[in-house]
Amino acid sequence: MTGKVIALSGGVGGAKLALGLSKILAPDELTIIANTGDDFEHLGLHISPDIDTLIYTLASLANPAQGWGLKDESWHFMEALKAADGETWFQLGDKDLVTHVLRTKAMREGKTLTEITYDLCLRYGVSHKILPMSDDPVRTRVITAEGPLDFQHYFVRERCAPKTTGFEFTGIKEAELNPAIEQALTDTDLSAIIICPSNPFVSVDPILMTGNMRALIKASGAPVIAISPIVGGQALKGPAAKMMQELGLPTNVSGIADHYEGLIDGLIIDETDRASLQALQARPFKVLVTNTIMNSLEDRIALAAATLSFAKSVQSSV
Ligand code: FO1
């Protein structure tokens, strides 16, 4: 692919595709935009789970079983915290803790999240650009039948059990889009915008809702390609399918198509959902059916390559 590529990503699922893209594209050809709505303050530390998942994944340091946190981790801090009757519902490994301590210290010294993310990328040897959607705080809250819950309280502490009735993104109206994102979106060499297979409601929407992100995407003229995070009516990871069901939306690829219609030029669905292809062909975007399940590194690279060539074919037919 010639030209530059932007990928919008949440945590684990999105990071898998971002890794595949990073194996094909040079550092100056790929910009990854990270959701920061999952960020929170915990035990006095600023935690940015999606940024860290992206850094650790691209550095090949992520815990392969969880997808988040570091591999070969030790848990002495959590054991000591438990013995001290501290809050242990959110697991912070000893090595991972260093990232949160460094970020929190740098924030207190007045550095922006963008600068801190750049420094962390250098520290972990990640040369592709990871940009937080904003340097201003945005906090996702899941509105549930039991009341609103901060995202990590809903996701980790309550294990996504409460019924979802909606979402709110505290600070989103005031948050300024990261200026480096605006620069990337107005680059005349931009050739594709990829929406990774992340949760559309709590990972991708906060990015799309920040500042003039949607208008900049439209104005860029670059093909926008989304990869469905729903395969065979199930989310590969996380609560996307449960949320769709509880919100009364179709829990399948057509629900994803509804969500992104008007924004995307192409949708990639898994082979499992091939039967949905005919119905989707009536939509105002192109559809590619391929394997989207990314178990191995080869799967991630193959989906990244298929996404880039699909973007190219979508662009040339516009
Ligand atoms: N996810 C969990 O399910 N349980 C945890 O205890 C947990 C700890 C954690 C610590 C650091 C970090 O960067 C991520 C962590 N995650 C944990 C993942 C995170 O909550 C979610 O994957 C994302 O917010 C959703 O994209």
Side-chain angles (χ1 to χ4, degrees):
M1 166 145 245
T2 45
K4 296 186 179 162
V5 174
I6 292 177
L8 278 55
S9 178
V12 179
K16 288 183 179 180
L17 182 60
L19 175 64
L21 290 165
S22 76
K23 298 290 180 192
I24 298 175
L25 299 165
D28 67 342
E29 293 176 321
L30 175 65
T31 299
I32 302 157
I33 302 178
N35 166 45
T36 56
D38 292 12
D39 288 22
F40 76 134
E41 283 69 39
H42 184 59
L43 305 174
L45 298 171
H46 181 105
I47 320 259
S48 295
D50 289 354
I51 291 177
D52 292 347
T53 298
L54 281 162
I55 294 176
Y56 296 163
T57 302
L58 264 67
S60 300
L61 291 172
N63 177 311
Q66 296 165 170
W68 53 268
L70 286 160
K71 65 182 176 187
D72 305 323
E73 187 56 283
S74 59
W75 301 94
H76 299 295
F77 170 70
M78 290 310 291
E79 284 155 20
L81 188 63
K82 191 172 182 201
D85 283 331
E87 262 184 86
T88 55
W89 59 270
F90 195 76
Q91 296 287 303
L92 294 170
D94 299 332
K95 288 192 282 182
D96 182 33
L97 206 47
V98 175
T99 302
H100 313 307
V101 169
L102 291 177
R103 173 182 290 117
T104 307
K105 179 173 178 287
M107 285 191 115
R108 295 212 176 117
E109 288 166 359
K111 282 201 174 184
T112 65
L113 193 55
T114 302
E115 291 166 336
I116 297 164
T117 304
Y118 179 79
D119 290 345
L120 287 170
C121 283
L122 275 186
R123 174 175 292 270
Y124 287 107
V126 172
S127 43
H128 291 81
K129 206 179 289 164
I130 300 173
L131 296 175
M133 64 192 198
S134 177
D135 283 323
D136 302 321
V138 175
R139 297 290 175 266
T140 298
R141 277 152 67 86
V142 182
I143 318 288
T144 76
E146 297 160 30
L149 285 170
D150 290 345
F151 182 74
Q152 297 300 337
H153 288 177
Y154 164 82
F155 189 84
V156 178
R157 198 188 64 196
E158 306 301 326
R159 296 164 199 263
C160 311
K163 187 179 171 201
T164 304
T165 57
F167 309 96
E168 60 185 29
F169 306 98
T170 310
I172 198 107
K173 286 205 179 84
E174 300 77 31
E176 198 185 308
L177 185 69
N178 187 335
I181 295 177
E182 176 153 3
Q183 216 171 14
L185 280 166
T186 49
D187 190 323
T188 49
D189 206 16
L190 183 65
S191 59
I193 298 169
I194 296 168
I195 301 179
C196 289
S198 297
N199 186 310
F201 309 103
V202 291
S203 298
V204 181
D205 275 0
I207 302 177
L208 294 174
M209 289 163 69
T210 303
N212 53 345
M213 183 71 187
R214 263 181 185 268
L216 285 168
I217 290 177
K218 280 271 159 217
S220 76
V224 183
I225 309 294
I227 295 91
S228 174
I230 299 288
V231 172
Q234 304 286 325
L236 291 174
K237 183 105 176 72
K242 180 176 182 283
M243 287 172 164
M244 290 172 96
Q245 194 189 6
E246 290 168 352
L247 293 168
L249 304 170
T251 312
N252 52 34
V253 288
S254 80
I256 298 297
D258 292 342
H259 192 81
Y260 288 131
E261 192 167 314
L263 176 73
I264 59 171
D265 303 294
L267 177 67
I268 302 183
I269 63 170
D270 191 71
E271 289 287 357
T272 313
D273 294 309
R274 184 172 280 282
S276 308
L277 180 61
Q278 210 179 349
L280 286 174
Q281 269 159 354
R283 302 270 186 160
F285 49 75
K286 297 214 151 37
V287 182
L288 174 74
V289 184
T290 190
N291 174 43
T292 67
I293 299 170
M294 295 177 280
N295 291 324
S296 66
L297 177 61
E298 289 69 33
D299 294 337
R300 289 160 212 205
I301 296 171
L303 181 57
T307 305
L308 294 175
S309 66
F310 182 47
K312 210 171 190 174
S313 72
V314 165
Q315 186 168 42
S316 57
S317 67
V318 171

